[in-house]
Amino acid sequence: MTTIDLNSDLGESYGRYHLGNDDQVIPLISSANIACGFHAGDPDVMYQTVEMAEKAGIGVGAHPGFPDLDGFGRRKMDLSAAAVTHMVTYQIAALAGFTKTHRLHHVKPHGALYNAAGKDLALATAICQGIKAEDPHLMVYALSNSALVTAAQNLGLPVAQEVFADRNYQADGSLVPRSQDNAVLHDPDEIAKRTISMIKTQSVVAVTGETVPIKVDSICVHGDNSAALEIVKHLTQALKQEGIAIKTR
Amino acid sequence: MTTIDLNSDLGESYGRYHLGNDDQVIPLISSANIACGFHAGDPDVMYQTVEMAEKAGIGVGAHPGFPDLDGFGRRKMDLSAAAVTHMVTYQIAALAGFTKTHRLHHVKPHGALYNAAGKDLALATAICQGIKAEDPHLMVYALSNSALVTAAQNLGLPVAQEVFADRNYQADGSLVPRSQDNAVLHDPDEIAKRTISMIKTQSVVAVTGETVPIKVDSICVHGDNSAALEIVKHLTQALKQEGIAIKTR
Amino acid sequence: MTTIDLNSDLGESYGRYHLGNDDQVIPLISSANIACGFHAGDPDVMYQTVEMAEKAGIGVGAHPGFPDLDGFGRRKMDLSAAAVTHMVTYQIAALAGFTKTHRLHHVKPHGALYNAAGKDLALATAICQGIKAEDPHLMVYALSNSALVTAAQNLGLPVAQEVFADRNYQADGSLVPRSQDNAVLHDPDEIAKRTISMIKTQSVVAVTGETVPIKVDSICVHGDNSAALEIVKHLTQALKQEGIAIKTR
Amino acid sequence: MTTIDLNSDLGESYGRYHLGNDDQVIPLISSANIACGFHAGDPDVMYQTVEMAEKAGIGVGAHPGFPDLDGFGRRKMDLSAAAVTHMVTYQIAALAGFTKTHRLHHVKPHGALYNAAGKDLALATAICQGIKAEDPHLMVYALSNSALVTAAQNLGLPVAQEVFADRNYQADGSLVPRSQDNAVLHDPDEIAKRTISMIKTQSVVAVTGETVPIKVDSICVHGDNSAALEIVKHLTQALKQEGIAIKTR
């Protein structure tokens, strides 16, 4: 039976600030990327989110980001390679402390760290060294075909290549930047159909018409608003009808 | 052979800010209390300090504090018990991520958290629950006779009761507050003699003359200025002459 | 014509985190207490909130709090008097920088700082010195009959004594603590009637039956959820029907 | 009589962390660039530094930086133009709150913000808009010939073009990057002679031999270590002997 992993960013609340619909998203997905207190999340939120994810039996992963709460980790910071490595180890280890086994399932860099690591092999390598220092068995979630995939493979870390259900692709396999009008898909039906096609064909049709080969180990979905939740619900039903099981790797 | 543990607060630098003489203190002590990024320390400093301590073969411990860098963790904050528990787990786990085995030797709360935990059993218990969640074998460093000793024992955590080489005591076994003139001892010879007496008699003479029974599992020393360093050097030589070995527990 | 000031806490969003319904509250009130970046708010939010408040012609005030974003300024911190004075000046001055005239209308301490200043004259004085350093004409919003009123008057600062529309009072004029069941009123009609009575009689009936004299210069209202908004709308209509105009002092 | 302004970065301590020799530098210079709490400095340090600078009668300026204490503002952050504008206003206004008149003499961006603003006109313009919002009479300190000069002039802000006493220059008038061996001069006598030559000729000889025209309104000096202090002392004596008075603009 074909299986696919669905991952989503969770635990992004902070103190008095509530963000996301974690309780509604968790039943729909198989892997959680949990913020670690640098760009979002605090120790209380981390504890609660890990507990929810463990109860649901989904993969508990760390979602380390730049130390920039005001920018939600979405603003690139020029950190030294050593600083990146150490801040990644710090965040992963802190999150692991809240799990029962103190072992995580995976790590997915967040926001600007994720985007930059997709193109910058030195940065991606610094991230992966921070991951390996914590646990060489941790699976790295990385944009399909990106520098982060290469860095993780170079260091012998397991990799899950991921695609975005609701984002358009360019001919080189990169995402259409959010600054462009056609960056994001909104129609739940179109999103579900295209996602299933990506899983089955391990390719995607770029906005310019080319068929681009991609590796689809995991699908990233969002749940931070009601429209996003509807998209995930529709997608999970469509996957069920196709006989594709949602399962962590 | 009589042995005694000497512990000191290390890794208190932060970014561009340098504090302490860790490289000179480490050869003199047997246990390091390393800041975890909330009141002092950053991921780079934590990495480097753990590496130095591991090379020297001394006990690597976590030194969690209140989330107050500007106040260096010395200003009491009214956190909920849950917030204390989770911030302690977070800090300990983050530091453990930098060690080779991901296991620490001990935990000693810092500053205002340490002081408050000495008198407030509920707070002390919240701290110990955060420690136990990370690792029930972690040794808790606590002021001799304090509420933190009780809390750790209640939860089944191993405890090292510590005394301060350079601080005067009151008749109830508590430290003379720093607001009083006679709070701190300055004469290296007097400090060494009194410390050895504390180890041998497991008691201390209070400023008001009473002999107060204390448990002396570890001696806390400071190394953040040259006078403090001289005191530690003098103490370690005096211990050697007495045939007392400096050794972690 | 009788007039009354209605004040509300605004500008409590932070980066990606949205809090409150500022755009809906502003048309209903006459004075805004705007967060200054320590417990809530960031420079972008402060700029936008000041702009909205100035357009609406309401009094623009600063809402300084403890430096504790994770605790939303609701956790008491033991700061020195000097640290309180300087952090208050810092926050007020920063907010004033976003106004057209660089002069504010008032200052109201936030959360744990407000609560502690109501009972601790030394802390209240430290706050008022920070306010006076920025501008001796700034009006201090303070709980009616509290130590903050005394401190402000001692330093010659103008004071607006405020009451809470939706909170019950004790016989000594202090608020029933939130830990008690009857701390908060919920019925919009009861709240409106009691508020109008407080304005007209300058007194309130305590939960234990006593009539307590209070000075009612301003009414504090909340707008951070839909029920709270309904209460404010109902109150403003009731005030209109009574011929009481809503106007800043 | 020829006069020249000497400026230096001050107030870079933070909480328990002490940095710099402000008390020794202040008597030697005519303008202080004071950190505003984002990359260094805290409200207590800001208060004390402003007080020292005002007593000495030197120009009190703001030294705003990126919100990155761990990186000391030396790591570039990709902020939106609006975020830059508002964080600059915030920091300047906060510092001004500690001065007697609530008016500053100048603003000089710090670290990575300064470096990036030297080349990026959009960023430089965003900074200058933040300055102008606080006070259109504030003098902008900018690297001679840089984009920050252009941005300030475009917005009608007064500008002081500055040179670095101890840095080598490239043929295009930019500084030799610190990554190169010959970036920094160390010989106090050479530094003094070259600085006086720069003042007299309004030009500098690049490391590649070209004579580069520069505008020398102010000289930036450092005092954060004893060698740096010696350089400043030597320079001020040399200026005296040349009959050049040290005076703020």
Side-chain angles (χ1 to χ4, degrees):
Chain A
M1 188 188 186
T2 307
T3 68
I4 190 68
D5 178 45
L6 254 57
N7 77 80
S8 191
D9 302 347
L10 302 180
E12 296 185 328
S13 295
Y14 180 84
R16 172 87 172 77
Y17 298 111
H18 186 80
L19 200 66
N21 303 288
D22 291 2
D23 53 337
Q24 295 177 70
V25 174
I26 285 176
L28 302 170
I29 61 172
S30 45
S31 296
N33 320 313
I34 303 178
C36 305
F38 274 43
H39 72 276
D42 65 36
D44 292 331
V45 170
M46 290 163 71
Y47 168 82
Q48 291 154 10
T49 312
V50 166
E51 194 180 41
M52 279 198 293
E54 286 188 334
K55 271 188 189 160
I58 62 176
V60 175
H63 199 38
F66 282 120
D68 177 23
L69 189 67
D70 193 14
F72 200 63
R74 289 180 172 168
R75 311 188 292 200
K76 187 166 185 305
M77 295 177 69
D78 285 350
L79 271 58
S80 70
V84 167
T85 296
H86 299 146
M87 80 161 192
V88 165
T89 300
Y90 183 103
Q91 294 183 53
I92 297 172
L95 186 76
F98 293 108
T99 64
K100 278 178 192 148
T101 59
H102 290 7
R103 306 202 78 151
L104 299 170
H105 171 261
H106 68 279
V107 177
K108 175 175 167 179
H110 166 83
L113 187 63
Y114 180 90
N115 292 336
K119 294 171 187 170
D120 178 344
L121 185 61
L123 176 64
T125 301
I127 294 169
C128 289
Q129 283 169 332
I131 296 171
K132 193 172 182 178
E134 167 64 13
D135 181 354
H137 302 292
L138 280 168
M139 188 173 289
V140 180
Y141 276 46
L143 182 67
S144 189
N145 294 331
S146 71
L148 185 53
V149 173
T150 307
Q153 289 172 339
N154 286 348
L155 287 172
L157 292 164
V159 182
Q161 300 199 34
E162 73 168 350
V163 297
F164 289 80
D166 63 351
R167 293 290 296 276
N168 266 321
Y169 281 77
Q170 303 187 103
D172 66 354
S174 67
L175 300 174
V176 174
R178 279 183 185 276
S179 52
Q180 295 184 23
D181 283 347
N182 58 345
V184 181
L185 302 178
H186 298 284
D187 178 32
D189 205 47
E190 183 189 358
I191 290 170
K193 281 185 181 140
R194 203 192 56 156
T195 303
I196 289 166
S197 162
M198 287 196 285
I199 296 168
K200 291 190 169 173
T201 65
Q202 300 281 309
S203 69
V204 67
V205 178
V207 284
T208 41
E210 299 85 349
T211 295
V212 185
I214 45 175
K215 192 151 188 305
V216 185
D217 297 324
S218 185
I219 313 282
C220 180
V221 296
H222 301 288
D224 50 345
N225 59 60
S226 54
L229 261 180
E230 279 316 302
I231 287 171
V232 186
K233 282 179 189 167
H234 193 81
L235 174 60
T236 56
Q237 288 165 350
L239 288 169
K240 206 174 189 177
Q241 286 167 6
E242 284 292 323
I244 302 174
I246 297 163
K247 197 158 168 274
T248 197
R249 295 168 49 86
Chain B
M1 187 189 185
T2 308
T3 67
I4 190 68
D5 177 46
L6 253 57
N7 77 79
S8 193
D9 301 348
L10 301 180
E12 296 185 329
S13 295
Y14 181 84
R16 172 86 173 77
Y17 298 110
H18 185 80
L19 200 66
N21 303 288
D22 291 3
D23 53 339
Q24 295 177 71
V25 174
I26 285 177
L28 303 170
I29 61 171
S30 45
S31 296
N33 320 313
I34 303 177
C36 305
F38 274 45
H39 72 276
D42 65 36
D44 293 331
V45 170
M46 290 164 72
Y47 168 81
Q48 290 154 10
T49 311
V50 166
E51 194 181 42
M52 279 198 292
E54 286 189 332
K55 271 189 188 160
I58 63 176
V60 175
H63 199 39
F66 283 120
D68 176 24
L69 189 67
D70 193 13
F72 199 64
R74 290 180 171 168
R75 311 188 292 201
K76 188 169 186 303
M77 295 178 70
D78 285 350
L79 271 58
S80 70
V84 168
T85 296
H86 299 145
M87 81 162 191
V88 166
T89 300
Y90 183 102
Q91 294 184 54
I92 297 173
L95 185 75
F98 292 109
T99 64
K100 278 175 192 148
T101 59
H102 291 7
R103 306 203 79 150
L104 298 170
H105 171 260
H106 68 278
V107 177
K108 174 175 166 178
H110 166 83
L113 188 63
Y114 179 90
N115 292 336
K119 296 171 186 170
D120 179 343
L121 186 61
L123 175 64
T125 302
I127 293 170
C128 289
Q129 284 170 332
I131 296 171
K132 193 172 182 177
E134 167 64 14
D135 181 352
H137 302 292
L138 278 168
M139 187 173 291
V140 180
Y141 276 46
L143 181 67
S144 189
N145 294 331
S146 71
L148 185 53
V149 174
T150 307
Q153 289 172 340
N154 287 348
L155 287 171
L157 292 165
V159 183
Q161 300 199 34
E162 72 168 350
V163 297
F164 289 81
D166 63 350
R167 293 291 297 274
N168 266 320
Y169 281 77
Q170 304 187 103
D172 65 353
S174 67
L175 300 175
V176 174
R178 280 183 186 275
S179 52
Q180 295 184 23
D181 284 347
N182 58 345
V184 180
L185 302 178
H186 298 286
D187 178 33
D189 206 47
E190 183 189 357
I191 291 171
K193 281 185 181 138
R194 204 191 57 155
T195 304
I196 289 166
S197 162
M198 287 195 286
I199 296 168
K200 290 190 171 173
T201 65
Q202 299 282 308
S203 69
V204 67
V205 178
V207 284
T208 42
E210 298 85 350
T211 295
V212 185
I214 46 175
K215 194 153 187 302
V216 186
D217 297 324
S218 186
I219 313 281
C220 180
V221 296
H222 301 287
D224 50 347
N225 59 60
S226 54
L229 262 180
E230 279 315 301
I231 287 171
V232 186
K233 283 180 189 166
H234 192 80
L235 174 61
T236 55
Q237 287 166 352
L239 289 169
K240 206 175 190 179
Q241 285 166 6
E242 285 290 322
I244 303 173
I246 296 163
K247 195 157 170 274
T248 196
R249 295 167 49 86
Chain C
M1 188 189 186
T2 307
T3 68
I4 189 68
D5 178 46
L6 255 56
N7 77 79
S8 192
D9 302 347
L10 302 179
E12 296 185 328
S13 295
Y14 181 84
R16 172 86 172 77
Y17 298 111
H18 186 81
L19 200 68
N21 303 288
D22 291 4
D23 54 338
Q24 293 176 71
V25 174
I26 285 176
L28 302 170
I29 62 172
S30 45
S31 296
N33 320 313
I34 302 177
C36 305
F38 275 44
H39 72 276
D42 66 35
D44 293 331
V45 170
M46 290 163 72
Y47 169 82
Q48 290 154 10
T49 312
V50 166
E51 194 180 42
M52 278 198 294
E54 286 188 332
K55 271 189 188 160
I58 63 176
V60 175
H63 200 38
F66 282 120
D68 176 25
L69 189 68
D70 193 14
F72 200 63
R74 290 179 172 169
R75 311 188 291 200
K76 188 170 186 301
M77 294 178 70
D78 284 350
L79 270 58
S80 70
V84 168
T85 296
H86 300 146
M87 79 161 192
V88 165
T89 299
Y90 183 103
Q91 294 183 54
I92 297 173
L95 185 76
F98 293 108
T99 64
K100 277 177 193 147
T101 59
H102 291 6
R103 307 203 77 151
L104 299 170
H105 171 261
H106 69 279
V107 177
K108 175 175 167 178
H110 166 83
L113 187 64
Y114 180 90
N115 291 337
K119 295 169 187 171
D120 178 344
L121 185 62
L123 175 64
T125 302
I127 294 169
C128 289
Q129 283 169 332
I131 295 170
K132 193 171 181 178
E134 167 65 13
D135 181 352
H137 302 293
L138 279 167
M139 188 173 289
V140 181
Y141 275 46
L143 182 65
S144 189
N145 293 332
S146 70
L148 185 53
V149 174
T150 308
Q153 289 171 339
N154 286 348
L155 288 171
L157 292 165
V159 183
Q161 301 198 34
E162 72 168 350
V163 297
F164 290 80
D166 62 351
R167 292 290 295 276
N168 266 321
Y169 281 77
Q170 303 186 105
D172 65 354
S174 67
L175 300 175
V176 174
R178 280 183 186 275
S179 52
Q180 296 184 22
D181 283 347
N182 59 346
V184 181
L185 303 177
H186 298 285
D187 177 35
D189 206 47
E190 183 190 358
I191 290 170
K193 280 184 181 141
R194 203 190 58 156
T195 303
I196 289 166
S197 162
M198 288 196 285
I199 296 168
K200 289 189 170 173
T201 67
Q202 300 281 307
S203 68
V204 68
V205 178
V207 283
T208 42
E210 298 87 347
T211 295
V212 185
I214 46 174
K215 193 153 188 304
V216 186
D217 297 324
S218 185
I219 313 282
C220 179
V221 296
H222 301 287
D224 49 348
N225 59 60
S226 54
L229 262 180
E230 280 315 302
I231 287 171
V232 186
K233 282 180 189 166
H234 192 81
L235 174 61
T236 55
Q237 286 165 352
L239 289 168
K240 205 174 190 177
Q241 285 166 5
E242 284 292 322
I244 302 174
I246 296 163
K247 195 158 167 277
T248 197
R249 293 168 49 86
Chain D
M1 188 188 186
T2 307
T3 67
I4 189 68
D5 178 46
L6 255 56
N7 77 79
S8 192
D9 301 348
L10 301 180
E12 296 185 329
S13 295
Y14 181 83
R16 172 87 172 78
Y17 298 111
H18 186 80
L19 200 67
N21 303 288
D22 291 3
D23 53 339
Q24 295 176 69
V25 174
I26 285 176
L28 302 171
I29 62 172
S30 45
S31 296
N33 320 313
I34 301 178
C36 305
F38 275 43
H39 72 276
D42 64 36
D44 293 331
V45 170
M46 290 163 72
Y47 169 82
Q48 291 154 11
T49 312
V50 166
E51 194 181 42
M52 279 198 293
E54 286 188 333
K55 270 187 189 161
I58 63 175
V60 175
H63 199 39
F66 282 119
D68 176 24
L69 189 67
D70 193 14
F72 200 64
R74 289 178 172 169
R75 311 189 291 200
K76 188 168 186 303
M77 295 178 68
D78 285 349
L79 271 58
S80 70
V84 167
T85 297
H86 299 145
M87 80 162 191
V88 165
T89 300
Y90 183 103
Q91 294 184 54
I92 297 173
L95 186 75
F98 293 108
T99 64
K100 278 178 190 144
T101 58
H102 291 7
R103 308 203 77 151
L104 299 170
H105 171 261
H106 68 280
V107 177
K108 175 175 167 178
H110 166 82
L113 188 63
Y114 180 90
N115 291 337
K119 295 169 186 171
D120 178 344
L121 186 62
L123 175 64
T125 302
I127 293 169
C128 289
Q129 283 169 331
I131 296 170
K132 193 172 182 178
E134 167 64 14
D135 182 354
H137 302 292
L138 279 167
M139 187 173 290
V140 180
Y141 276 46
L143 182 67
S144 189
N145 293 332
S146 71
L148 185 53
V149 173
T150 308
Q153 288 171 339
N154 286 348
L155 287 170
L157 292 165
V159 184
Q161 301 200 32
E162 72 168 350
V163 297
F164 289 80
D166 63 351
R167 293 291 297 275
N168 266 321
Y169 281 77
Q170 303 187 103
D172 66 352
S174 67
L175 300 175
V176 174
R178 280 184 185 276
S179 52
Q180 296 184 22
D181 284 346
N182 60 346
V184 181
L185 301 178
H186 298 285
D187 178 35
D189 205 47
E190 183 189 358
I191 290 171
K193 280 185 182 140
R194 203 191 58 157
T195 304
I196 289 166
S197 162
M198 287 196 285
I199 297 169
K200 289 191 170 172
T201 67
Q202 299 283 308
S203 68
V204 68
V205 178
V207 284
T208 41
E210 298 85 349
T211 295
V212 185
I214 47 175
K215 194 154 186 302
V216 186
D217 297 324
S218 185
I219 313 281
C220 180
V221 295
H222 302 287
D224 49 349
N225 58 59
S226 54
L229 262 180
E230 279 316 301
I231 287 171
V232 186
K233 281 180 190 167
H234 193 81
L235 174 60
T236 55
Q237 287 165 352
L239 289 168
K240 206 174 189 179
Q241 284 166 6
E242 284 291 322
I244 301 174
I246 297 163
K247 195 158 170 278
T248 198
R249 294 167 51 84

